[in-house]
């Protein structure tokens, strides 16, 4: 298999596409499990298409470009998960092809090969949730563009400023899909300091390139009079270290055990066997620094799940390619390639169908409870968004972490006013309120209170009966 992709022939990417399609086809046919981040992205797009503005009328910390993308996806595909998975599959293939072409054009290996494209695609398969069209997947393509411009700067050390500016812009655009990608700005600065003759002017150009898309976003928010809520609901929550943990460390290690083993073996092989030019040595050190900041990204990311590890894949593909190119005996190349291939595929499918006890997806997957309320406009006053799977969001309060302070303090006039207008303009048919947080608000809103009756841990709108 490695021998097939070792040849420098662009048509090998056609073979890669067919191989990927065969691998992912069972997931397309059987993957009915909706993940919590996917459900949240559906709700964000759906709510905006109802005419509600992000941050002003949809309270969530989703990044602006990601929110706009989900709005467009909802316009075209509605709630179709299969369509989004197909688009994610295409993105994965395009990124794998781009990575291989980038490494060939920058001559980072001793021979031109499409092995990195194959390994990139294979490593993406380590968990079924990597097929989700998430904010991280959408933004990761811009990180590859940033990495390409860094390689260009290291390779030529030219006086032109475009590559440095492009690095900042690409990282900025990635952070407007998932703000946690901001850590790669620090990575770019370290790489430029160590491996290029960059002046203070170039560092300032990098920072300006990063700030430009964010300043443009803030300018648009100013025109819409939403700069305050953009700062409150996007920037401040993403600057904190709070996050949602969907899987435990045991699950992540179980899914990534085999790639981690080959990562260690690759490092050992490189130290013992590799003979690099100065340029190739600098590229290797650049990739290792990129991996180090990728681990920082995993520590900082707002939603910890298997898909958070995709930032490691370009670096792993680079190191594994060196490992396979350094093996001299064909039988060992053959053996290791099949161990890696069958190992990753087997673990991914066994985990997907819950056959490995150490891998727990229960908090990541949206539950589909029997007898669930369906096709209603609802509001859930806690962190459990499972009920939105078969229902629609009413009112702006999607993100409970950002909304909780409103419902916990009914004595503040602005909180009462906000909830009153939300219930007046977009009344929910059912409110799931196990702690009866709405009770004190309804006492201050008698006209709204008349429309609802308490039943168990729910408020049910009388007009909906």
């Amino acid at each position: 298999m490695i021998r097939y992709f070792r040849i420098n022939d662009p048509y090998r990417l056609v073979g890669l596409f067919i191989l990927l399609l065969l691998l992912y086809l069972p997931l397309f046919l059987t993957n009915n499990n909706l993940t919590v981040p996917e459900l949240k992205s559906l709700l964000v797009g759906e709510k905006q298409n109802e005419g509600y503005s992000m941050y002003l009328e949809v309270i969530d910390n989703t990044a602006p470009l990601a929110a706009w993308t989900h709005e467009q996806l909802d316009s075209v595909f509605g709630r179709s998960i299969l369509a989004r998975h197909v688009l994610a599959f295409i993105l994965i293939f395009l990124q794998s092809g781009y990575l291989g072409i980038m490494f060939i054009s920058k001559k980072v290996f001793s021979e031109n090969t499409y092995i990195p494209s194959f390994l990139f695609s294979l490593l993406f398969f380590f968990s079924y949730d990597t097929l989700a069209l998430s904010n991280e997947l959408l933004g990761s393509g811009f990180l590859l563009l940033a990495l390409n411009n860094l390689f260009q700067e290291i390779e030529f050390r030219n006086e032109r400023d475009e590559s440095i500016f492009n690095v900042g812009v690409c990282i900025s655009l990635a952070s407007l899909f998932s703000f946690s990608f901001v850590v790669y700005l620090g990575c770019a600065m370290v790489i430029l300091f160590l491996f290029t003759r960059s002046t203070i002017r170039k560092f300032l150009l990098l920072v300006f390139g990063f700030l430009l898309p964010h300043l443009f976003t803030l300018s648009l928010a100013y025109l819409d009079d939403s700069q305050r809520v953009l700062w409150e609901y996007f920037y401040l929550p993403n600057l904190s270290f709070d996050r949602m943990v969907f899987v435990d460390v045991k699950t992540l290690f179980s899914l990534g055990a085999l790639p981690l083993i080959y990562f260690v073996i690759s490092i050992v092989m490189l130290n013992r066997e590799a003979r690099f030019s100065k340029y190739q040595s600098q590229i290797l050190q650049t990739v290792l620094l990129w991996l180090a900041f990728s681990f920082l990204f995993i520590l900082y990311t707002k939603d910890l799940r298997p898909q958070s590890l995709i930032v490691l894949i370009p670096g792993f593909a680079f190191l594994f390619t060196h490992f396979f190119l350094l093996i001299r005996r064909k039988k060992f190349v053959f053996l290791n390639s099949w161990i890696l291939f069958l190992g990753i595929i087997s673990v991914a499918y066994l985990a997907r169908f819950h056959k490995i006890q150490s891998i727990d997806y229960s908090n990541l997957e949206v539950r589909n409870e029997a007898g669930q309320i369906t096709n209603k406009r609802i509001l859930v006053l806690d962190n459990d968004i499972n009920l939105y799977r078969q229902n629609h969001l009413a009112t702006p309060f999607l993100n409970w972490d950002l909304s909780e302070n409103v419902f916990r303090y009914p004595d503040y006039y602005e909180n009462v006013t906000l909830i009153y207008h939300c219930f007046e303009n977009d009344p929910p048919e059912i409110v799931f309120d196990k702690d009866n947080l709405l009770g004190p608000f309804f006492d201050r809103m008698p006209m709204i209170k008349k429309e609802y009756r308490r039943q168990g841990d729910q408020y049910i709108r009388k007009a909906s009966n």
Side-chain angles (χ1 to χ4, degrees):
M1 190 172 296
I2 288 292
R3 290 176 61 188
Y4 175 82
F5 293 103
R6 191 165 186 168
I7 300 172
N8 181 17
D9 177 11
Y11 287 103
R12 303 289 163 168
L13 293 177
V14 177
L16 177 61
F17 181 84
I18 295 172
L19 176 63
L20 278 179
L21 188 60
L22 292 174
L23 290 179
Y24 279 101
L25 190 58
L27 291 183
F28 289 142
L29 297 176
T30 64
N31 195 9
N32 296 320
N33 288 5
L34 182 67
T35 64
V36 172
E38 284 181 298
L39 176 57
K40 181 180 173 182
S41 68
L42 294 180
L43 295 172
V44 167
E46 190 175 73
K47 197 66 179 174
Q48 290 178 96
N49 272 321
E50 291 177 4
Y52 297 94
S53 301
M54 194 67 194
Y55 310 117
L56 268 177
E57 298 168 308
V58 183
I59 298 177
D60 190 60
N61 62 348
T62 299
L65 276 180
W68 178 81
T69 302
H70 295 313
E71 180 183 4
Q72 305 312 310
L73 290 171
D74 182 77
S75 299
V76 178
F77 302 115
R79 285 200 170 192
S80 173
I81 295 299
L82 178 60
R84 287 170 169 79
H85 286 175
V86 171
L87 286 178
F89 168 81
I90 294 172
L91 273 180
I92 293 169
F93 170 73
L94 291 176
Q95 289 185 25
S96 66
Y98 178 80
L99 185 77
I101 294 170
M102 177 179 71
F103 284 159
I104 289 173
S105 66
K106 297 297 179 286
K107 301 185 184 305
V108 301
F109 300 114
S110 57
E111 57 186 84
N112 294 332
T113 174
Y114 282 96
I115 294 176
S117 295
F118 164 69
L119 292 173
F120 181 92
S121 302
L122 176 62
L123 290 169
F124 241 96
F125 200 81
F126 82 100
S127 175
Y128 83 91
D129 75 303
T130 58
L131 194 59
L133 193 62
S134 68
N135 305 339
E136 289 79 7
L137 179 61
L138 292 167
S140 61
F142 290 99
L143 291 184
L144 292 181
L145 294 174
L147 190 59
N148 180 51
N149 281 283
L150 283 173
F151 285 169
Q152 182 175 329
E153 186 68 19
I154 294 171
E155 181 181 11
F156 297 108
R157 296 182 177 86
N158 51 27
E159 297 301 321
R160 299 173 63 188
D161 298 327
E162 288 86 348
S163 58
I164 296 294
F165 178 77
N166 290 339
V167 170
V169 171
C170 289
I171 295 174
S172 182
L173 291 173
S175 69
L176 286 173
F177 280 99
S178 177
F179 188 79
S180 302
F181 285 138
V182 71
V183 301
Y184 289 97
L185 179 64
C187 180
M189 289 182 173
V190 173
I191 290 171
L192 292 175
F193 176 78
L194 294 176
F195 305 121
T196 68
R197 295 189 293 269
S198 296
T199 61
I200 295 296
R201 175 176 170 275
K202 284 198 171 184
F203 282 101
L204 292 175
L205 189 63
L206 172 68
V207 174
F208 176 72
F210 175 82
L211 291 177
L212 188 61
H214 284 275
L215 291 174
F216 182 71
T217 301
L218 287 168
S219 299
L220 291 178
Y222 176 78
L223 295 176
D224 194 30
D225 197 26
S226 61
Q227 72 277 12
R228 181 189 63 81
V229 289
L230 175 66
W231 177 258
E232 182 179 355
Y233 295 140
F234 171 58
Y235 285 104
L236 284 182
N238 282 290
L239 287 170
S240 72
F241 289 94
D242 298 330
R243 63 176 178 175
M244 292 288 294
V245 178
F246 293 106
V247 295
D248 55 22
V249 174
K250 185 179 180 181
T251 295
L252 293 178
F253 272 110
S254 298
L255 289 168
L258 186 60
L260 284 174
I261 291 171
Y262 271 91
F263 169 71
V264 174
I265 294 174
S266 299
I267 294 295
V268 173
M269 285 283 289
L270 285 170
N271 286 332
R272 292 180 54 185
E273 305 291 337
R275 298 293 182 268
F276 295 133
S277 65
K278 180 180 179 182
Y279 166 69
Q280 289 176 328
S281 178
Q282 289 179 334
I283 292 295
L284 173 61
Q285 294 172 66
T286 296
V287 171
L288 291 176
L289 278 171
W290 193 267
L291 279 173
F293 277 85
S294 296
F295 282 106
L296 287 179
F297 167 84
I298 294 169
L299 294 175
Y300 179 57
T301 185
K302 301 295 106 177
D303 298 327
L304 182 62
R305 58 190 189 278
Q307 197 183 42
S308 304
L309 305 186
I310 64 173
V311 292
L312 300 172
I313 293 177
F316 277 22
F318 174 87
L319 294 174
F320 292 2
T321 301
H322 271 303
F323 165 72
F324 282 109
L325 293 178
L326 287 171
I327 299 177
R328 296 182 177 86
R329 295 186 179 182
K330 293 182 179 179
K331 65 178 182 180
F332 289 126
V333 174
F334 177 84
L335 179 63
N336 281 283
S337 63
W338 279 104
I339 289 175
L340 188 62
F341 179 79
L342 294 178
I344 290 177
I345 301 303
S346 300
V347 171
Y349 273 116
L350 290 172
R352 162 63 184 84
F353 295 106
H354 308 287
K355 301 299 183 182
I356 302 178
Q357 292 185 351
S358 59
I359 297 176
D360 182 12
Y361 285 129
S362 59
N363 292 328
L364 178 64
E365 297 171 344
V366 176
R367 297 187 302 273
N368 192 13
E369 300 174 359
Q372 190 178 60
I373 296 169
T374 60
N375 204 27
K376 298 287 187 181
R377 298 189 64 80
I378 67 171
L379 172 62
V380 181
L381 299 185
D382 58 45
N383 266 319
D384 184 9
I385 69 169
N386 290 278
L387 287 168
Y388 290 116
R389 178 175 181 136
Q390 302 294 335
N391 297 286
H392 305 279
L393 172 67
T395 75
F397 305 108
L398 173 58
N399 189 313
W400 179 242
D401 291 332
L402 300 179
S403 306
E404 185 175 9
N405 282 338
V406 174
F407 289 92
R408 294 288 180 186
Y409 298 100
D411 294 330
Y412 288 94
Y413 175 76
E414 57 270 23
N415 292 346
V416 177
T417 303
L418 173 61
I419 292 178
Y420 174 81
H421 287 298
C422 291
F423 273 69
E424 184 73 18
N425 298 324
D426 187 16
E429 296 177 80
I430 302 175
V431 181
F432 293 85
D433 182 14
K434 61 183 179 181
D435 296 326
N436 196 23
L437 298 175
L438 273 180
F441 288 94
F442 279 168
D443 291 340
R444 294 166 171 80
M445 303 182 298
M447 296 301 295
I448 300 293
K449 184 177 181 179
K450 289 180 181 179
E451 299 180 8
Y452 290 87
R453 59 182 174 85
R454 181 78 175 173
Q455 181 176 313
D457 60 356
Q458 303 171 13
Y459 279 100
I460 301 177
R461 194 165 185 242
K462 296 176 183 178
S464 65
N465 293 341

